[in-house]
Structure formats: C-alpha cells, structure tokens
C-alpha cells in the first residue's frame, strides 16, 4: 500500500484522538497540512502586552497580561465563593472571575505581579468586560519547573504566535500541536512554477511555513506572509481561470433578437427611457448572447438601479431568437414578486397564446415548491413544449423533473445565496450550455468580484433611474434618547397621513415555542450572571405593541418566513395595493420587494444586522417619487463599534463604499465560503480588501499559466494544491480512513 504523504497524515495519528477531534469539529483541521496552514493571527513580543482596551465582545481571545490584584468574595450567605482577579497591560484593565471549587488553583498561582497568557470568551457583566473561568498559562520565571506550562517559555522568549483558537483548545495548545507537525513542513510540495517563484523573489514553501509558525525576527514573518498570501491568491485564481477557460471551450447557440419581435414590442411600450448605464450594460449582454460560446456575466448594481429591467430585456432577446429563459430566485416571496412585476411590465406581451394576448407575446410561468399539483403540472408542460418562453422560479427549477424545450439563458438573482453547483445544475438543463447572467443586489468591491466571481465577466450599473428619490437615514439611540424613538413613530404616522406606507423590520419572528427554546438553552446560573443582553425584538410582539400603542388606529400586518406561502403572497398583495399602512416584517423583504408607495422604514435592533443587509433593506423605500426615510433604532452605547457601523450606513448611500466597510469588519471567509460553495474557504492569510494588487497580479499570472497548460500537466505541485482547494469528498475520506 502507498505511504500516505506526510501532509495528508490524519492529525489523530500524531496528536491523539481528543485533540484531533476538537481541531476537526471546531477549527475544520483534519490533516497535518491543514494544521500547517492554520497560521498565527498575530505575534506577541515578550515585553509587549496585548491591548486590553480593544477586546471584542463575544469572541474567544488570548491576552498576555500581568495580575494587578486578586480577591475572594462570598455570596449566598457564605456558601458560594467567587475569585475576582484584575489583570492589566498598560492600555486597560480586565476582570477575570472564577467560581466555586474552580477558585483554588488560580488563587494560589495567579499572584499579583505574575504574568501569564489568558484565554477565554469576552463577556459583559454589570457593564464591565470580563473573562469567566479563563484558561491560562504562566510565562517566564513564574512557570513552575516540570509544570505543563514550563516549556511555554522556550517559545515565549522570542515572538509568541497567537493562533485563532476555540473553546477547549487555547492558542498555546495549538502551538504545541504545531511543534509536533512542523518537521513535516519540509515535505510540502511547492505549487508555484519555479520561474514564477524566482521571478518574484519568494522563499520556498517549506521555509515560509517554518518562518510563519516560528519566526526569529519580524523580517521572517514578512517573508512568510508575502509568500503565503501569494499562494492563496494564485491557487484560487488558477481554479477560476481554469473554469473560465473550460467554459470558453463549450459550444452555445448564438441568440440574436429578431427585428420587430418581442424585444422591440416591449421597448416600444416602456413608459420611460433606459438610463445610459442600462443601455451600456444591455449592449455588453447582447454582444455576449450573439457569440457561439456561453455568456458568463455578473450584473451588479446599486439597490434600485434597474437590474431586473436589464435582465428582462436579455430574456426577451433570447425568446425572440426561439429559445427559453429561466430566472432563478432565492425565495418564494421573491420569485412571486419577480413574476408579478415582469408580467405587469410586459402586459399583453406576457399572454402569448392566450385570448387577448399579443401575437408577438410569449407565455410567462411561475414554478415554486409550494404550488398545487394542477398548476405545477401545467407549468412543467408549458416548459417542455416550449409554450412558455419565460419561467421564474425558486430552486424547484433545478429538480430532475423539470425539462425545457430549448433553454437559452439562465438568470440567477442574488447569487450569494446560490452555490456554483446549483448554477451548474440549471445550466445542465439546456441541450447545449445556456448563457448565464448572475445578478447581485449587494454591490461588491472590484477585488471581491475578481476573487468570488472570477469565472464571470462583470457589468456594473451605478446610476439610479430617473424618478427615484433620495433616502434620508438616521440613527435612533433608543436607550440614550427615548424621545427620539417616540418621534420615529410620529414620523411613521405623518407618512401614513400623507397617503404613504411604512415597513418596520425586526430581527426575529418570535412566539412561545421560540421563547421556550431560548430558555432551555440558557446557561447555568453562574454563566447567566455574565449575560447582559436582552433577546432581539420579534415581529409578532412588536406588531402587537405598535397596534395597541404608538400606531393605534393604523392598519398593521405582519410578514415572516414561517407563514404559509399563500398567506405571505396575500399580505404582499394587500400591501402593494395600499390596503395595509404598516408592514412589520423580518428580512424576507430584503430583496426584490417593490412597493413605490412605501416611503418609511424603521429597523429595530439595527445593530443586529450586517452593513450590506441594512443597505439592502433601506433600498425598499424611496422607490417612487416621494423621498424615503430610514430610521436605524439601536440600544447600543455611542462609543460602541455597532454604533460606528450604523453611523456609516446612515452617512452614505453608496453601496460600494458600504460593502468595503462591511468586508473590513467581517472575515472574508464568510464571503468566499458562501459564494463559492464547493470551494473550501481557503483564505487564511489573504485579505480581499487590502490585497488588491496581489489578487490582480495573481489573476494575470493564472491566466497565462492556464492558457499555456490548461490541464496543468507540467505543474504537478499546482495540480495537488488545486485538488486540495476543490476536493469536497476529502473530509469524508479522512473520516472513513
């Protein structure tokens, strides 16, 4: 039997079962290679202390600090004991708490003046940050001889690597595990072609791994990071370049609109003119559709920039040429909304073959999972016979039963909710590969587009259509200034008095069953002491309170994801028809919902939403001629990062600017993990926003390499790195092995 290569050796062989299990479950590390690519987040110098003043709430952290004082308190009439230790680092102080029997060891070991590394989750109690029951390892002369922690000093002497850690596996334990596997780094296969590595002056991969984990100097760290960042960017760009190259080799049917056909008839009845941006992007799309290779294009633009109009014109052009077009939406609410707005825009052109329909027209069908059998059967029949030129649906479109007469174009709405495989499944429905247009409503910075959607050409719509109104956004600090919240509800009433409508958005649905689950999950009393945050506001309770209180007398209804599809649709129809004044909803209204008469939006607990999500939600108002108003309600104190985030959203309507802010605050892994499902989120060193130049250069090199050797036959090391990035069955294989 072949020997398993050193870097593919399962961790449990080297580290033992329990440690390997925690690494697999919490850090997604399974092999020696995985652990070698689990890089330190930062490095502590022996004399330099972590900034306690900048600790993030609710995150696992590792700090190096000195004990300032320690005291034991009793409670419960002397039956319970609590040890409180204050540690300091010169920038701030932090409290550690230990309870019950757990106090004896730290009380004896953590004496004032001693230094240690502490790891735990930052929580808030009595408005002060603390670590409850942190684990710790003493440093320097304080580490007892023969003690488990004594050998920490051997690596604490120089630059102490601080690793991304988790509960049950602190940074220093990960460091010891890395020591055990570090000799295997010598066998790491270098993915870079030698000419590229030497041309750019990179250190070899084994040396980079050694320097990143056990640097002697800051220059070592710099060398290692430069090399490892490049590897991540390059391997990912090669994967995307190969996908682009393979797609470019596929045959497709050229689709050109017929003069005097459906598209011309649709354009003639438009009550407005297209923006310059829409004209330009449409021209790019029509050029792509006219070629005999499948189009792969990303259409991104501001909330409300008219992407649906551009996509619809592309779909009509394909129907004109004798093909069919499908639009895939992420939710039923959105699919129904698209169906309604497309049939309204097309009028009699959407009734091809029906009495009163236009002779240039076609049939438009809706296909979702919750449709009744007769309607579903009819829709499937219309698709297979070619009777329906346009279909709008959810992932029900991807099912095996669905067959098309001649699928020419697939439009995917809100790509970040669909993985690569789902795109491919729908594309597989064509006799020949159909053209593909992906729309995203969250504007994406150029680097992210290059990294996440690198297999697609990009078109950007950055103008708003004429007649769109500006949206004023304000933060409402409900805790500090309750009268601001009262004024918010007055503003909603004023809008309704003018004949307009409003949304109120809450983070949670809320009901007894949910409350029971939350109560069950509550931690035991000792830990409950640390919880200082109320549960997020819920649609059901909030709607009731508003209808009885500040919005009494207005027609208030609710909308959330747990409602039956028909009920959801009925509520949206009533709201669209102006029969509901205020809609209290979850984020189901986030994309695609278009009610021009809705002018105000109040987002409750706005700090619990991401920046892009807030921008998306806000885009639901100001869609008509009256100005829009968006109020971001929060209980967070003025100096908190959450408030800074909300101020950023209130301060600009530029989605591209906001998406940069959003990315800087989140880990890119989220972005890549979601969008490239099927690609393990591989970014450990590269930051998509900051490393624009690295990504652009890696993309150029990747295109050159793939053009010269598409199968990478001459580059076995690169081939191996690529397989590791793309192999979905790897984990299952390891579990069985």
């Amino acid at each position: 039997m072949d020997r398993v290569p050193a870097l593919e050796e399962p961790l449990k062989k080297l580290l033992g079962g329990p440690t390997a299990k925690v690494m697999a479950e919490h850090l997604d590390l399974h092999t020696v290679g995985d652990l070698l690519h689990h890089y330190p987040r930062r490095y502590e110098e022996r004399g330099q202390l972590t900034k306690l003043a900048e600790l993030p709430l609710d995150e696992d952290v590792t700090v190096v600090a000195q004990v300032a004082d320690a005291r034991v308190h009793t409670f419960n009439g002397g039956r319970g004991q609590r040890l409180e230790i204050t540690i300091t680092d010169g920038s701030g102080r932090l409290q550690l708490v230990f309870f019950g029997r757990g106090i004896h060891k730290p009380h004896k070991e953590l004496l004032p003046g001693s230094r240690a590394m502490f790891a735990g989750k930052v929580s808030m109690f009595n408005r002060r940050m603390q670590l409850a029951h942190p684990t710790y390892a003493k440093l320097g002369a304080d580490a007892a001889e023969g003690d488990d922690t004594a050998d920490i000093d051997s690596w604490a002497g120089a630059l102490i690597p601080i690793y991304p850690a988790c509960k049950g596996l602190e940074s220093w334990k990960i460091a010891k595990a890395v020591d055990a596997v570090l000799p295997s780094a010598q066998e790491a296969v270098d993915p870079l072609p030698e000419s590229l590595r030497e041309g750019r002056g990179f250190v070899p991969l084994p040396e980079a791994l050694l320097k990143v984990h056990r640097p002697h100097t800051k220059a070592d760290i710099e060398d290692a990071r430069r090399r490892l960042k490049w590897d991540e960017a390059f391997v990912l760009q090669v994967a995307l370049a190969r996908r682009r190259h393979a797609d470019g080799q596929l045959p497709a049917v050229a689709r050109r609109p017929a003069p005097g056909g459906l598209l011309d008839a649709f354009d003639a009845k438009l009550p407005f003119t297209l923006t310059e941006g829409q004209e330009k992007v449409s021209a790019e799309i029509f050029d792509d559709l006219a070629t005999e290779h499948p189009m792969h294009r990303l259409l991104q633009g501001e909330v409300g920039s008219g992407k649906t109009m551009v996509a619809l014109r592309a779909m009509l052009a394909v129907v004109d040429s004798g093909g069919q077009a499908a639009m895939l939406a992420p939710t039923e609410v959105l699919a129904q909304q698209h169906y309604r707005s497309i049939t309204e825009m097309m009028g009699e052109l959407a009734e091809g073959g029906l009495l009163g329909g236009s002779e240039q027209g076609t049939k438009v069908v809706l296909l979702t999972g919750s449709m009744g059998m007769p309607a579903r059967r009819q829709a499937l029949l219309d698709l297979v016979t070619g009777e329906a030129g346009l279909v709008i649906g959810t992932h029900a479109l991807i099912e095996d039963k669905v067959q098309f007469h001649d699928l020419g174009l697939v439009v995917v709405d809100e790509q970040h909710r669909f993985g690569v495989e789902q795109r491919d499944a729908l594309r597989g429905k064509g006799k020949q590969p159909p053209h593909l247009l992906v729309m995203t409503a969250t504007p994406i910075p150029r680097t992210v587009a290059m990294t996440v959607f690198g297999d697609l050409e990009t078109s950007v719509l950055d103008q708003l259509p004429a007649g769109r109104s500006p949206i004023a956004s304000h933060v409402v600090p409900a805790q500090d200034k309750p009268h601001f919240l009262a004024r918010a509800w007055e503003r909603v009433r004023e809008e309704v008095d003018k004949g307009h409508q409003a949304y109120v958005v809450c983070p949670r649905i809320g009901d007894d069953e949910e409350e029971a689950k939350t109560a069950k999950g509550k931690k035991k009393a000792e830990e409950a002491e640390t919880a200082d945050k109320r549960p997020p506001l819920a649609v059901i309770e909030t709607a009731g309170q508003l209808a009885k209180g500040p919005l009494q007398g207005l027609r208030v209804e609710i909308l959330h994801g747990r409602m039956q599809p028909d009920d959801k649709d009925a509520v949206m129809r009533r709201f669209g028809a102006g029969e509901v004044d205020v809609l209290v909803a979850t984020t189901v209204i986030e994309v695609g919902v278009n009610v021009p008469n809705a002018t105000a939006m109040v987002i409750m607990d706005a700090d619990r939403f991401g920046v892009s999500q807030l921008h998306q939600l806000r885009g639901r108002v100001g869609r008509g001629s009256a100005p829009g108003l968006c109020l971001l309600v929060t209980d967070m104190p003025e100096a908190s990062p959450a408030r800074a985030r909300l101020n950023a959203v209130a301060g600009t309507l530029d989605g591209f600017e906001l998406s940069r802010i959003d990315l800087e605050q989140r880990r890119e892994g989220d972005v890549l993990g979601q969008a490239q499902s099927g690609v393990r989120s591989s970014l450990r060193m590269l930051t998509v926003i900051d490393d624009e130049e690295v990504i652009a250069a890696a993309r150029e090199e990747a295109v050159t390499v793939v053009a010269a050797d598409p199968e990478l036959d001459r580059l076995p090391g690169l081939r191996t790195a690529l397989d590791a990035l793309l192999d979905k069955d790897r984990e299952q294989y390891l579990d069985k092995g």
Side-chain angles (χ1 to χ4, degrees), residues 493 541-557 584:
R493 292 195 88 99
E541 288 82 359
T542 303
Q545 288 158 6
L546 290 174
K548 288 194 197 105
L551 302 184
Q552 194 168 10
L554 302 188
R555 295 168 298 176
V556 177
E557 292 210 22
V584 184

Side-chain angles (χ1 to χ4, degrees), residues 15-68:
L15 305 178
T19 304
K21 188 168 186 251
V22 177
M23 285 193 170
E25 284 175 7
H26 296 287
L27 298 172
D28 195 22
L29 306 176
H30 306 267
T31 65
V32 167
D34 291 344
L35 181 52
L36 287 174
H37 289 294
H38 185 71
Y39 309 128
R41 183 175 280 158
R42 56 190 168 82
Y43 303 84
E44 286 293 358
E45 288 179 79
R46 187 81 200 282
Q48 170 206 331
L49 304 171
T50 319
K51 287 233 185 327
L52 290 181
E54 294 167 10
L55 289 181
L57 198 59
D58 282 339
E59 276 195 30
D60 283 300
V61 298
T62 301
V63 296
V64 177
Q66 193 159 22
V67 176

Side-chain angles (χ1 to χ4, degrees), residues 96-391:
L96 314 178
V97 291
F98 299 88
F99 294 99
R101 293 203 189 104
I103 74 170
H104 304 306
K105 189 166 181 274
H107 193 209
K108 198 169 70 195
E109 293 180 343
L110 298 175
L111 303 171
S114 60
R115 292 180 68 249
M117 292 172 77
F118 301 93
K121 195 173 217 172
V122 183
S123 58
M124 192 71 107
F125 178 59
N126 277 346
R127 297 206 163 260
R128 282 166 68 194
M129 283 194 172
Q130 66 170 29
L131 295 182
H133 282 283
T135 49
Y136 59 89
K138 298 177 72 181
L139 291 177
D142 300 323
E145 278 307 315
D147 180 357
D148 223 16
T149 57
D151 53 358
I152 289 174
D153 198 38
S154 60
W155 53 264
L159 290 156
I160 307 173
I162 304 292
Y163 288 91
C166 63
K167 191 172 165 59
L169 207 57
E170 299 82 5
S171 172
W172 54 87
K173 287 186 182 162
I174 294 172
K176 286 179 81 168
V178 168
D179 280 337
V181 302
L182 209 49
S184 303
Q186 292 309 323
E187 296 190 41
V189 180
D190 204 317
L192 296 192
E194 195 151 335
S195 57
L196 193 160
R197 184 171 68 73
E198 286 172 357
R200 291 190 172 265
F202 292 130
V203 298
L205 182 58
E207 188 183 327
L209 290 170
L210 210 60
K211 283 181 166 175
V212 79
H213 289 292
R214 297 297 172 261
H216 294 300
T217 62
K218 287 186 175 167
D220 283 354
I221 299 171
E222 200 38 55
D223 280 352
R225 291 178 78 93
R226 226 181 115 242
R227 165 67 214 251
L228 296 167
K229 267 185 185 185
W230 177 272
D231 279 15
E232 286 179 9
F234 180 67
V235 174
L236 189 58
Q237 290 300 338
V238 166
L240 294 166
R242 287 188 70 211
R243 191 178 167 91
R244 247 190 342 267
H245 183 272
D247 285 340
Q249 308 304 305
L250 295 171
V253 179
R255 309 280 179 177
R256 295 181 185 87
L262 180 57
L263 179 62
D264 286 350
F266 176 73
D267 284 350
K269 69 191 282 297
L270 279 181
F272 52 81
T273 52
L274 299 174
T275 64
E276 251 175 75
Q278 285 174 318
E279 293 277 14
K280 179 176 144 288
V281 168
S282 289
E284 290 171 352
I285 291 171
F286 290 150
D287 286 349
D288 281 359
L289 290 174
T291 62
E292 293 183 350
H293 297 296
M295 165 173 83
H296 293 101
R297 190 165 281 280
L298 172 69
L299 170 59
Q300 60 160 324
E302 271 299 357
V303 176
S305 58
K307 290 181 295 292
T308 309
M309 172 59 69
V310 170
L312 176 57
R313 292 183 73 241
M315 292 166 84
L316 297 178
V318 169
V319 175
D320 250 356
S321 72
Q324 291 169 294
M327 181 185 266
L328 185 61
T331 64
E332 296 214 346
V333 168
L334 194 50
Q336 285 161 341
Q337 189 78 29
H338 275 315
Y339 175 71
R340 262 204 302 280
S341 63
I342 283 173
T343 47
E344 275 164 24
M345 282 195 274
M346 288 176 66
E348 74 281 4
L349 295 173
E351 295 165 359
L354 301 177
L355 204 59
S358 160
E359 57 192 54
Q360 288 142 315
T362 185
K363 196 166 180 184
V364 182
V365 299
L366 175 70
L367 187 65
T368 64
S370 66
M371 280 167 72
M373 261 334 272
R376 188 181 172 79
R377 208 173 284 129
Q378 184 60 51
L380 291 172
L381 187 65
D382 289 340
L383 289 179
V384 78
T385 58
E387 185 81 13
L390 299 185
V391 58

Side-chain angles (χ1 to χ4, degrees), residues 443-574:
I444 308 173
R446 174 173 163 266
T447 37
V448 182
M450 275 198 309
T451 308
V452 178
F453 300 110
D455 56 333
L456 306 172
E457 299 298 325
T458 305
S459 296
V460 177
L461 277 175
D462 46 16
Q463 274 175 301
L464 289 187
R468 278 296 165 90
S469 303
I471 304 169
S473 305
H474 304 283
V475 177
V476 177
Q479 191 84 19
D480 311 348
K481 299 178 178 167
H483 59 288
F484 275 36
L485 183 58
R487 176 71 190 121
W489 301 126
E490 283 171 19
R491 282 293 288 114
V492 170
R493 292 195 88 99
E494 286 163 17
E495 289 301 309
V496 174
D497 289 344
K498 288 182 202 159
H500 298 306
Q501 293 158 280
Y503 298 99
V504 176
V505 181
C506 300
R508 206 165 55 96
I509 297 171
D511 58 17
D512 296 344
E513 179 192 332
E514 208 167 63
E515 305 305 327
K517 262 193 247 162
T518 320
K520 216 191 233 167
K522 279 216 172 120
K523 303 270 168 67
K524 48 187 188 290
E526 284 174 4
E527 288 168 359
E529 225 193 309
T530 66
D532 206 27
K533 229 175 175 189
R534 61 165 172 73
L537 292 170
V539 166
I540 294 169
E541 288 82 359
T542 303
Q545 288 158 6
L546 290 174
K548 288 194 197 105
L551 302 184
Q552 194 168 10
L554 302 188
R555 295 168 298 176
V556 177
E557 292 210 22
I558 64 173
L559 180 73
H560 58 73
R562 241 190 278 148
M563 289 163 64
Q564 290 302 316
D566 291 352
D567 297 342
K568 278 193 272 199
D569 201 34
V571 170
M572 275 318 298
R573 271 178 200 281
R574 286 201 295 278

